[in-house]
Amino acid sequence: GDFGLIGMLRNCAKKAHVGSCLSARDFSSFHALLYAVNRKTLAKSKRVTVLRSAFSTRVFSSRNELPLDRRRAPAIGKGNAAKQVENKNGQQPLQQTLKSVRQNQPRITITASEAGEHISYLQERLSELGSLPPVWSGGATLEKPKNSVDERKTIFREAHALLDRIEKSVNTQQLNPSGKHGRELSLLLGQILEVYSKTAVPFGDDTSIFDACCKILTLLEMWNLDVMPFHYSCAVEVAARESRWKEASILFSDQIDPDVFGQAPMEITHHLAVGLYSIARNAQLEGGSTVDHVMDAVLKLAMVCPTDQDEYVLSAGIALGHAGEGESFANYLKNSYNSSRLGEPLNAAVMNACVLSGEADRALELFQELVSDPLHGDSEWQYAGEYNSMHPLCRDVAMRAFGDCSSMNLSEVALELYQQVKNDDFQISIEALCGVVKACERDGRWGEAVEIFTEFLDRCRDSGWLVVGNETPSVVSREQAIANGNMVDSNAVLQQALPQIGNMVASVMRSSNADKKFGMALLCSQLVCNTLMSADPTQDKQSFRKAENPSTLLLSCFQGQEDPIVGSIVALSGLHCDLDAFRLYEAAVEEYPLHSWYNARNCCEFVQSNHSAANVVVSSPWQNGQRHIQLLLSACSAIENSNVEMESSEITLLASALSKAMRACTAAGQPETSLWLTKRVYRVLASKDAINSEKTFSLGNAVSSFFGYPDAQSYGYQESKLTHAAAFVSETAVLAESISAYRAMGRPDEGLQILDSIPDSFGNSSSPHRKGPKSDSRWIPVVNQAIFLLADQNRVDDAFALYGATNEETQDHETLIAMATAFEKDEQWKEIIKIYYHALKCGRLSEKLAFLAMKAVVNTSSKEMPKQLRLIAKSACEVAGMNEKEWIESRYWVLDRKLGFTAARLLMWWGDASTAHEMKLRFAIEQVESRRKAGLTPKNVVLRYIVNRIRHYKGPTEILPLSRTQWLNLLRAVIDEAQNSSLWYDAAFLESVLLSFLWLDEKKECVAFVRDAVERGVQITQATVDEVTELCRAEGLPMDDLLLMSRSVN
C-alpha cells in the first residue's frame, strides 16, 4: 500500500516541479499524503483504499461547478504576478514553486470559530427546509418540492467548500489537529457530516455526497482525531440514501466491530435502524439470508450492551419490515433457537415487521397466537419491577395492524386496546391511532373515530405522549420516558408525523362523509389545520383566521397529500358548496402541479356532472357557518395560549359566536357538528379552570354533566363567581341552539333534559316547562326551542303550558311562531288566529306567523275567508315594508304551496275559476321574462309549472293568444333556463319536457333531448324509455341508442 502512496506523492511533486499544472487540490493532496506517510497511520489496506478513493473520486460533475478555491490555480511563470526563477536546466525549484502558489492564491484558510459560525448558518438554513423522507421511503417527494432540491444542493456545495478551507488551514498549520484544535476539528467534521446527511437528495447529476463523506472519514484518520459513532452513522445514512448498500453495510459493520470501536455500546437512534436496514438490503442483493445477517448484527450489539438488547431487537423489526421481510422474520421467530432467549420483544419486532411490510393480517395472527394466548410462555413481560400481560409494543403494533387488515368487526378490540393504553398512561404511536380510526371507519363507527381524533388533537402537545412508530423502536410509559429523559419535543413529533396525521384525518373524513356527516368532516380538517399551524413556529399565527377558504390550508399543512383534499371535496359537495370544492381542486393543482390528483379530479368531475353549472353560486347555510367556525377555532387557540383571566362579557361574546355557528350548522343539516363545537369550546374553557382548588355546585355542574362533559366540580369554583366553563354552558344562546340541534337529530328527550338541568337559583323554578314562569327574558330563546321540540312530539298541552308560563313582556316573535306551529300540528286553527291577534296587539307580528294565520283562516271554511286573507296580507306587507300587490306577487308561489290554489287566486284577484289557470300561467311567463331581463335564473317551481301546463295547450285564447310555434319557442326558452338549475338533472322534469314535445308534435326534437339527457347521466324512468322506444321505431332510428338509454333506467 505504501508504494501506491509514494506513486501518488511523486505525481503531485512532478506537477509542482513542472510549474504549469499545479492546482489547489494537488497542493492539498501533496501535504496530506506527505503527512500520512510520515505519521505512518495507514496500516490497514482498507483504509488505504478509502483514502485513495477519496482523493481520486471526482465529487463535482463539471469544472464550472467547482468552488473558487477548488479550481486550478493560475499557471506559475506567466503574467506579472510572479517572477520566474529557473535553474541551469531551465526548471523551477520546488520550494520556489510552492511559495509562488501561496502568493497567487486568495485567502483560503479559516479559523475554527469562523468555521463553527458557518456550520451553524448552514444548519439553520436546513432547518427551514424541513426533514428528508425516511431512507426506506423509496424516493418519496420532498416536503417543499419547488425549492428544496436546489437549496440543499447549494448548502452541500457551501459545506464542501468549507471542508476544503478547513483542510487547507490544517495543511498550512493554521489549525493544529494534534494540538489545541483537535477536539474542535472533530466536532466540525461531524457537523459537516450531519449537513451532508440532510442534503443527500438526488441532484440530477453525478454528484456523490457519499464520496465527500469518505473524505471526511479519511481526514479524521489522517489527523488522528477521535472518530465517533456519529461520524459513521451520518456516512451510513448518506450511503443508504444513494442506494450504496454494500458500502453502507461495511461502514455499519465497522461501527459495531470491537476491533475498530472497541466495546462501545451503540446509541439507540434512528441511525441504528438505518444501519440494520442497509445490511438487509445488501443481503438481498447478494442473495444471502437477510434475516440471519440482520440478527447476527443484533446479537453482536447485544453482546456489547445486553441492557439494550430489547431496543436492538425492535430496531431489527423496523429494518426488516421496511425491507419487506416480514414473513421471513416470522419464520425466524418460529424456527430459530434464539427466539426463546430474545423473548417478548422479538414477538413485538416480528409483528411490527409484518405490519411495515404490508402483512397486517399475519401480524394479527401472531398477536392472537403469541400474545393473547395466556398459556404461551413468552407472553409475559416485565417492566419496572411489575408484570404485564403483553409487551406495550405488541399492543401498539396490534392497533396499527387493525387499520391495514382486511377483516371487519375489529373496532371493538381496537378501542379496548386504546383504552388500555390510556389507563396505563403509556406512549402511543401515531400509526396506532391511525389504525384504530381506520378500524372504526371500516365498521361505520364515525362517532368513535371523531372522538379519538379530537382526543389526539387535545393531547398531541403533551410531552412524551406521541411517538412515530415507523421511526421509534419501542413505546414506554410516560413516567418512564420522563425518568429516562426521552421527552421528544411534541412540535417536532407532529412535523415528523405529518404523513400519518394526514392519513388519520382522511380516514375520519371518509367515515364522516359515508354517514353524511359532512360538517364533522370539515370541522376535523379545520381542527387539525389549526393545531398544526399553532405547533409550527414558521407559520403565521393569523394565517388560519385570515384564510378565505379554510380547506385550502390542508395543502400547506400536509404538503399536497391527496386523501385529505378528496375528503374535503366530497364534504363540500355534500353541503352544496360546489364552487368551494372546485376552488380547492384548482388550488391543489396550482400549488403542486407535479402531482397527478387522480382521485381529486374524478371527484370534481362527478360533482360538476351533478351541478347545474360551474359558474352558478349555490347558496348554502354552511358557507355562512364556516366563517363563524373558523373565527371560533382561532379564538379557542388564543384562549389556550393566553394566561389572561377572561371576563364575563368575553365569555358571553364567545357564546354568541358559538350560537351563530351552531345555528348555521343545524340549518345545513349538520346538528352533530353543532354539539361537537360546543364540546370543543367547553374543553378549552375547562382547561383554563383546572388550576382552581375550591369546589362547589353551580349551574355548570347540571348542564355540563348532561352534555357528557367532565364534572364541573373537578374544576372548582365559587357560586358567586362561575368558572369559565360553567359560565359558558349557562349562556342561554348555547342552550337554545343545543336544544335545536337535538331536535334536528330526532332526540327530543335529551333536548328537554337541558331544561330540567337548570337549577332554581337561575329562575323561579328548576324546570321551566313544568312549574313556574320565567320572568327573565334571557331564557326566552331556550323556551322557544323547547316549544318547537314539544310540537314535534305532538305534546301540544305541554307546549302551551310552557308558553303560558312566560310573561308577555318577555315573549318575542319566535315565541309566538313556536306556539302557533304547535297548534298547527294539532290543527287548532282558532288558537292560531288568537295568537295572530295577540301579535298584532303587542307589535310582534312576523311573516311566518301571517302565513300560519292565513292557513288557519283557509281551514276554518269561513264565508269571510277572502276578506280575512286580505286583512292578514295587508298587515304582513306593512311588516315587510311593501305595498299589498307587490307583497302578494312576490310571495305568490309560497302562498300557492301553503294555502292552495283557490286561496292564492283570491289574493291575486283571479275571481273567475274557469280562467284562473290561464291567469296563473300568464303570470308565470311574465315572471320568467322579467327575471331573464334582470339576468336572474327563474325559480324552479315556475319553470316546472310552465312545462306542465304546455301539455294542456288547445290553441290561442284571449288571455294567452299564443300559436303552436310560440308555445314551442317558450318550451325551448324554459329548457335553456333549466340548464342553469338543478332541473337539468331532474328525471321528473325531463319526463314533463318529453310529454310537452309530444303534445306539440316535435318527435325528433323530443328524441334528441332525451338522448342528450342520457349522455349527461340523468336517471330516466322506464316510462320514458318505453315512450322513446315507440318514437324511435316510428322515426326509424337505430335501436343501439335505446340500449344506451336503458342502462340509465331508474
Side-chain angles (χ1 to χ4, degrees):
D2 290 342
F3 288 106
L5 288 173
I6 295 300
M8 296 172 65
L9 182 61
R10 287 175 175 171
N11 289 335
C12 289
K14 184 176 180 181
K15 289 181 180 180
H17 192 66
V18 171
S20 60
C21 59
L22 183 63
S23 67
R25 180 183 178 89
D26 297 327
F27 182 71
S28 61
S29 300
F30 173 81
H31 281 276
L33 286 167
L34 186 61
Y35 177 80
V37 173
N38 290 338
R39 291 297 300 259
K40 298 181 179 180
T41 59
L42 304 175
K44 293 188 176 183
S45 60
K46 65 179 180 180
R47 287 193 175 80
V48 174
T49 304
V50 172
L51 179 63
R52 183 184 294 122
S53 173
F55 282 152
S56 61
T57 302
R58 186 166 172 264
V59 177
F60 293 93
S61 60
S62 67
R63 174 180 173 81
N64 294 332
E65 293 182 357
L66 289 172
L68 180 62
D69 54 351
R70 290 286 306 276
R71 298 175 187 171
R72 188 178 299 278
I76 299 175
K78 297 180 180 180
N80 299 324
K83 295 181 180 180
Q84 297 189 29
V85 181
E86 297 180 354
N87 57 14
K88 295 180 181 180
N89 297 326
Q91 294 179 340
Q92 199 173 19
L94 178 59
Q95 293 183 353
Q96 184 63 33
T97 300
L98 297 179
K99 182 178 179 181
S100 300
V101 169
R102 295 190 184 97
Q103 292 177 350
N104 283 274
Q105 290 219 356
R107 181 178 178 268
I108 57 177
T109 59
I110 192 171
T111 64
S113 60
E114 291 174 342
E117 292 176 359
H118 197 170
I119 284 290
S120 299
Y121 171 64
L122 296 179
Q123 291 174 336
E124 182 179 352
R125 288 164 59 187
L126 278 173
S127 64
E128 296 175 355
L129 297 177
S131 59
L132 289 173
V135 170
W136 38 71
S137 61
T141 57
L142 294 175
E143 296 176 358
K144 300 179 180 179
K146 288 186 176 180
N147 57 8
S148 181
V149 174
D150 294 338
E151 180 66 14
R152 291 179 196 274
K153 187 174 183 179
T154 302
I155 293 174
F156 165 69
R157 289 178 175 174
E158 294 180 14
H160 203 74
L162 176 62
L163 175 64
D164 284 343
R165 296 184 67 184
I166 293 174
E167 184 182 359
K168 292 174 177 62
S169 299
V170 172
N171 294 336
T172 58
Q173 298 183 358
Q174 184 172 345
L175 295 176
N176 185 8
S178 60
K180 63 178 182 179
H181 299 120
R183 185 175 181 180
E184 292 178 282
L185 285 173
S186 179
L187 178 62
L188 286 172
L189 294 182
Q191 290 175 325
I192 295 177
L193 277 171
E194 184 180 12
V195 170
Y196 285 172
S197 67
K198 294 180 180 180
T199 58
V201 295
F203 291 154
D205 50 33
D206 58 352
T207 302
S208 174
I209 300 180
F210 177 66
D211 289 338
C213 293
C214 289
K215 178 178 180 180
I216 293 181
L217 294 178
T218 303
L219 292 176
L220 287 168
E221 293 286 348
M222 286 170 42
W223 297 340
N224 199 24
L225 298 176
D226 293 334
V227 182
M228 303 296 181
F230 178 74
H231 297 140
Y232 268 63
S233 298
C234 292
V236 169
E237 181 173 352
V238 172
R241 290 191 181 278
E242 294 184 1
S243 298
R244 300 174 69 165
W245 306 115
K246 184 177 181 62
E247 291 88 341
S249 61
I250 290 176
L251 284 175
F252 184 76
S253 299
D254 284 349
Q255 193 175 357
I256 64 177
D257 188 353
D259 294 336
V260 179
F261 278 97
Q263 299 293 325
M266 189 168 186
E267 188 177 357
I268 308 299
T269 63
H270 78 282
H271 294 293
L272 173 60
V274 171
L276 295 174
Y277 177 72
S278 301
I279 291 178
R281 293 300 305 272
N282 184 57
Q284 289 175 339
L285 292 176
E286 294 181 352
S289 175
T290 304
V291 177
D292 288 340
H293 279 77
V294 172
M295 292 308 296
D296 287 345
V298 168
L299 294 176
K300 288 181 181 179
L301 291 167
M303 288 178 62
V304 176
C305 185
T307 57
D308 288 338
Q309 173 180 287
D310 293 353
E311 302 297 330
Y312 297 147
V313 173
L314 297 175
S315 297
I318 294 177
L320 291 170
H322 287 299
E325 297 288 342
E327 185 63 34
S328 300
F329 203 13
N331 294 333
Y332 177 90
L333 172 65
K334 182 178 180 180
N335 301 321
S336 176
Y337 65 91
N338 290 318
S339 299
S340 59
R341 182 167 68 89
L342 297 175
E344 183 72 6
L346 182 60
N347 298 336
V350 173
M351 288 177 57
N352 194 20
C354 292
V355 171
L356 293 176
S357 58
E359 301 170 5
D361 293 321
R362 180 70 172 120
L364 288 181
E365 290 178 9
L366 292 172
F367 178 72
Q368 295 293 333
E369 178 183 350
L370 301 175
V371 178
S372 299
D373 185 4
L375 300 179
H376 194 275
D378 295 335
S379 62
E380 278 191 349
W381 177 67
Q382 181 181 8
Y383 73 102
E386 299 179 2
Y387 287 92
N388 197 346
S389 60
M390 68 178 71
H391 193 283
L393 186 61
C394 289
R395 183 170 56 191
D396 195 90
V397 172
M399 288 189 285
R400 304 179 203 176
F402 286 137
D404 297 329
C405 67
S406 57
S407 303
M408 302 287 290
N409 302 320
L410 292 175
S411 58
E412 194 67 36
V413 181
L415 290 171
E416 182 180 351
L417 293 179
Y418 174 69
Q419 189 62 41
Q420 290 179 12
V421 174
K422 289 176 58 179
N423 295 338
D424 296 341
D425 196 22
F426 262 70
Q427 293 177 326
I428 190 170
S429 67
I430 183 65
E431 293 84 359
L433 287 171
C434 189
V436 178
V437 168
K438 287 183 178 179
C440 294
E441 175 195 352
R442 280 200 309 273
D443 293 347
R445 305 178 67 167
W446 72 270
E448 288 83 352
V450 173
E451 182 66 33
I452 292 173
F453 184 70
T454 52
E455 285 185 9
F456 155 72
L457 295 179
D458 289 337
R459 297 195 60 187
C460 63
R461 306 292 290 275
D462 295 348
S463 298
W465 178 68
L466 188 68
V467 297
V468 181
N470 293 344
E471 308 291 335
T472 306
S474 183
V475 291
V476 297
S477 66
R478 292 189 64 208
E479 181 180 358
Q480 184 178 351
I482 295 173
N484 297 338
N486 298 330
M487 304 297 289
V488 183
D489 180 47
S490 59
N491 293 343
V493 173
L494 287 178
Q495 295 302 317
Q496 189 179 7
L498 283 179
Q500 294 87 344
I501 297 175
N503 293 334
M504 181 162 57
V505 69
S507 177
V508 173
M509 297 178 76
R510 285 194 301 267
S511 61
S512 300
N513 289 334
D515 206 46
K516 297 184 179 180
K517 304 298 185 294
F518 307 113
M520 283 306 309
L522 293 178
L523 176 60
C524 290
S525 69
Q526 292 190 41
L527 283 172
V528 71
C529 288
N530 190 24
T531 301
L532 292 177
M533 295 177 74
S534 299
D536 189 356
T538 63
Q539 290 281 357
D540 181 12
K541 301 304 180 184
Q542 301 296 325
S543 55
F544 177 81
R545 182 179 62 84
K546 296 178 181 178
E548 295 183 1
N549 186 359
S551 298
T552 57
L553 297 175
L554 290 169
L555 290 170
S556 59
C557 288
F558 295 109
Q559 284 83 40
Q561 274 187 268
E562 185 174 18
D563 288 345
I565 302 300
V566 172
S568 294
I569 291 174
V570 173
L572 289 170
S573 174
L575 293 169
H576 307 292
C577 301
D578 295 347
L579 288 181
D580 290 338
F582 298 146
R583 293 191 188 104
L584 176 59
Y585 172 70
E586 292 171 355
V589 174
E590 181 180 358
E591 184 71 18
Y592 294 90
L594 300 180
H595 292 197
S596 63
W597 299 109
Y598 177 78
N599 294 327
R601 182 175 66 253
N602 289 341
C603 287
C604 281
E605 290 175 355
F606 177 79
V607 172
Q608 191 168 12
S609 67
N610 288 276
H611 185 56
S612 58
N615 58 349
V616 175
V617 177
V618 180
S619 177
S620 171
W622 182 263
Q623 292 175 328
N624 180 44
Q626 184 171 253
R627 181 59 179 168
H628 290 299
I629 294 174
Q630 185 179 358
L631 296 175
L632 191 66
L633 296 181
S634 299
C636 290
S637 296
I639 293 171
E640 287 180 314
N641 298 326
S642 174
N643 296 324
V644 179
E645 186 75 14
M646 294 184 64
E647 298 179 357
S648 58
S649 59
E650 294 174 331
I651 294 178
T652 302
L653 184 63
L654 184 66
S656 176
L658 174 62
S659 64
K660 292 179 182 178
M662 294 176 69
R663 189 178 303 115
C665 292
T666 304
Q670 304 297 313
E672 296 84 0
T673 309
S674 300
L675 298 178
W676 277 93
L677 272 175
T678 310
K679 287 186 178 182
R680 183 67 183 175
V681 178
Y682 179 86
R683 287 174 178 172
V684 172
L685 295 178
S687 65
K688 300 286 291 184
D689 302 327
I691 60 174
N692 296 334
S693 57
E694 298 182 13
K695 301 180 180 180
T696 185
F697 181 79
S698 177
L699 173 67
N701 297 90
V703 180
S704 63
S705 61
F706 162 71
F707 279 115
Y709 304 151
D711 185 3
Q713 292 186 13
S714 63
Y715 300 109
Y717 48 83
Q718 293 290 343
E719 178 69 32
S720 60
K721 183 180 180 181
L722 297 177
T723 60
H724 297 137
F728 167 73
V729 296
S730 66
E731 290 289 337
T732 55
V734 177
L735 296 177
E737 294 303 329
S738 299
I739 295 175
S740 177
Y742 281 119
R743 176 192 172 202
M745 294 168 63
R747 293 157 59 180
D749 294 338
E750 296 174 69
L752 291 175
Q753 286 177 19
I754 295 179
L755 277 78
D756 296 329
S757 301
I758 300 175
D760 296 337
S761 58
F762 288 87
N764 296 331
S765 70
S766 61
S767 183
H769 72 285
R770 291 182 182 177
K771 293 184 179 180
K774 286 287 183 183
S775 59
D776 194 341
S777 61
R778 63 187 178 131
W779 294 104
I780 286 299
V782 181
V783 174
N784 295 343
Q785 293 301 326
I787 293 175
F788 277 121
L789 194 148
L790 291 169
D792 292 341
Q793 301 300 305
N794 295 321
R795 296 169 57 181
V796 181
D797 293 339
D798 291 339
F800 186 71
L802 183 57
Y803 169 77
T806 59
N807 298 331
E808 292 185 3
E809 294 79 8
T810 60
Q811 294 174 352
D812 59 8
H813 299 79
E814 198 74 11
T815 310
L816 302 179
I817 294 173
M819 195 62 241
T821 303
F823 284 135
E824 178 194 14
K825 292 181 180 296
D826 201 41
E827 298 184 354
Q828 298 186 30
W829 308 115
K830 293 183 179 180
E831 298 296 333
I832 296 177
I833 295 176
K834 289 181 182 179
I835 292 179
Y836 164 74
Y837 284 118
H838 173 66
L840 277 179
K841 179 181 177 181
C842 60
R844 295 192 179 96
L845 181 64
S846 61
E847 283 195 61
K848 289 184 180 180
L849 185 57
F851 284 131
L852 290 171
M854 287 182 176
K855 186 175 181 179
V857 169
V858 170
N859 284 276
T860 54
S861 301
S862 173
K863 294 181 180 180
E864 299 292 328
M865 182 181 68
K867 180 180 179 180
Q868 291 177 350
L869 288 177
R870 292 192 181 97
L871 287 175
I872 296 174
K874 183 178 180 180
S875 60
C877 70
E878 292 176 357
V879 173
M882 305 168 64
N883 62 58
E884 185 176 352
K885 180 181 179 181
E886 182 185 2
W887 186 86
I888 293 175
E889 289 183 352
S890 61
R891 272 77 169 170
Y892 171 77
W893 300 101
V894 178
L895 294 169
D896 184 73
R897 184 180 72 253
K898 290 181 176 292
L899 307 181
F901 174 65
T902 301
R905 74 175 177 83
L906 292 176
L907 287 171
M908 292 290 292
W909 298 95
W910 300 334
D912 190 353
S914 62
T915 61
H917 284 287
E918 291 187 57
M919 297 292 294
K920 181 179 179 180
L921 181 56
R922 186 175 69 178
F923 175 71
I925 296 173
E926 290 173 353
Q927 278 202 332
V928 170
E929 293 297 330
S930 62
R931 291 184 70 87
R932 290 184 67 181
K933 290 179 180 179
L936 302 174
T937 302
K939 297 179 180 179
N940 289 355
V941 63
V942 180
L943 298 177
R944 196 186 297 272
Y945 178 76
I946 292 175
V947 172
N948 290 332
R949 293 303 301 176
I950 288 177
R951 301 201 303 269
H952 300 279
Y953 163 72
K954 295 181 180 179
T957 63
E958 182 179 354
I959 298 175
L960 292 171
L962 301 178
S963 64
R964 174 186 169 279
T965 303
Q966 290 175 317
W967 280 110
L968 184 60
N969 293 334
L970 175 63
L971 179 60
R972 291 167 180 164
V974 169
I975 293 174
D976 290 340
E977 293 297 331
Q979 294 182 23
N980 297 324
S981 70
S982 59
L983 293 176
W984 194 237
Y985 297 93
D986 190 299
F989 177 76
L990 182 146
E991 189 172 359
S992 298
V993 173
L994 166 67
L995 296 176
S996 298
F997 272 126
L998 293 178
W999 184 262
L1000 296 173
D1001 199 26
E1002 284 294 329
K1003 299 179 181 179
K1004 291 185 178 181
E1005 193 167 354
C1006 170
V1007 173
F1009 175 78
V1010 175
R1011 184 173 289 130
D1012 177 69
V1014 171
E1015 292 176 355
R1016 294 198 309 270
V1018 179
Q1019 299 292 311
I1020 63 176
T1021 62
Q1022 185 62 49
T1024 305
V1025 172
D1026 296 338
E1027 191 73 31
V1028 176
T1029 300
E1030 295 297 329
L1031 287 176
C1032 289
R1033 289 173 180 170
E1035 298 296 331
L1037 298 175
M1039 298 299 294
D1040 292 341
D1041 292 341
L1042 293 179
L1043 296 177
L1044 175 63
M1045 288 186 288
S1046 64
R1047 296 193 189 102
S1048 302
V1049 174
N1050 209 349

